[in-house]
């Protein structure tokens, strides 16, 4: 199983970015019932959960991103997204996508998000 994240970049404070994560090597019936999430790790800090989403689309967010970020998934395409609006320099980090099936957990390579003031 592989996860590929994309969409990172450099923006000014107040700007927007949309991250995407595509899953390969997992059969659809397993993907369909997985839980997916976005995590981030800033320099010198521990990795933290940003948002996650259940197979039924129920989302959970870290308090600092509520109202600014939106997580979504497209089960047919085995994709997950993170729409990030009103970005703040505190959002600067490497963002990782994650998928859990109950028995296994997989991580993708990160994508860098840099927000300048």
């Amino acid at each position: 199983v592989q996860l590929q994240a994309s969409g990172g970049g450099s923006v000014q404070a107040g700007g927007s970015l949309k991250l995407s994560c595509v899953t390969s090597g997992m059969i659809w019936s397993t993907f369909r019932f997985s839980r997916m999430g976005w995590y981030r790790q800033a320099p010198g800090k521990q990795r933290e959960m940003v948002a996650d989403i259940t197979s039924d689309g129920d989302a959970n967010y870290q308090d600092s991103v509520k109202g600014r970020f939106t997580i979504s998934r497209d089960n047919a395409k085995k994709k997950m997204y993170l729409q990030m609006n009103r970005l703040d320099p505190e959002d600067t980090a490497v963002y990782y996508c994650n998928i859990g099936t109950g028995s296994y957990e997989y991580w993708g390579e990160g994508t860098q998000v840099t927000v300048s003031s």
Side-chain angles (χ1 to χ4, degrees):
V1 174
Q2 291 186 323
L3 284 74
Q4 181 66 52
S6 60
S10 297
V11 297
Q12 291 193 326
S16 298
L17 285 173
K18 185 174 184 178
L19 305 184
S20 298
C21 177
V22 61
T23 303
S24 60
M26 180 179 285
I27 60 175
W28 184 86
S29 58
T30 299
F31 179 89
R32 169 66 180 86
F33 294 103
S34 67
R35 185 182 195 93
M36 301 192 74
W38 288 99
Y39 291 71
R40 66 187 181 188
Q41 187 165 19
K45 294 186 177 181
Q46 290 188 332
R47 189 174 296 188
E48 61 181 7
M49 191 274 286
V50 176
D52 63 15
I53 186 167
T54 69
S55 57
D56 293 327
D58 292 328
N60 181 47
Y61 297 92
Q62 181 193 102
D63 285 346
S64 69
V65 307
K66 285 181 180 178
R68 299 189 298 122
F69 290 10
T70 303
I71 189 172
S72 61
R73 63 189 287 170
D74 184 334
N75 290 335
K77 296 181 179 179
K78 296 183 187 176
K79 283 188 170 183
M80 175 179 63
Y81 306 96
L82 186 68
Q83 177 66 48
M84 304 186 293
N85 298 327
R86 304 201 318 269
L87 282 160
D88 184 273
E90 291 293 314
D91 297 317
T92 295
V94 178
Y95 284 69
Y96 299 88
C97 55
N98 170 278
I99 185 168
T101 66
S103 299
Y104 301 97
E105 186 176 36
Y106 303 93
W107 292 89
E109 297 292 330
T111 185
Q112 177 71 46
V113 172
T114 302
V115 185
S116 57
S117 57

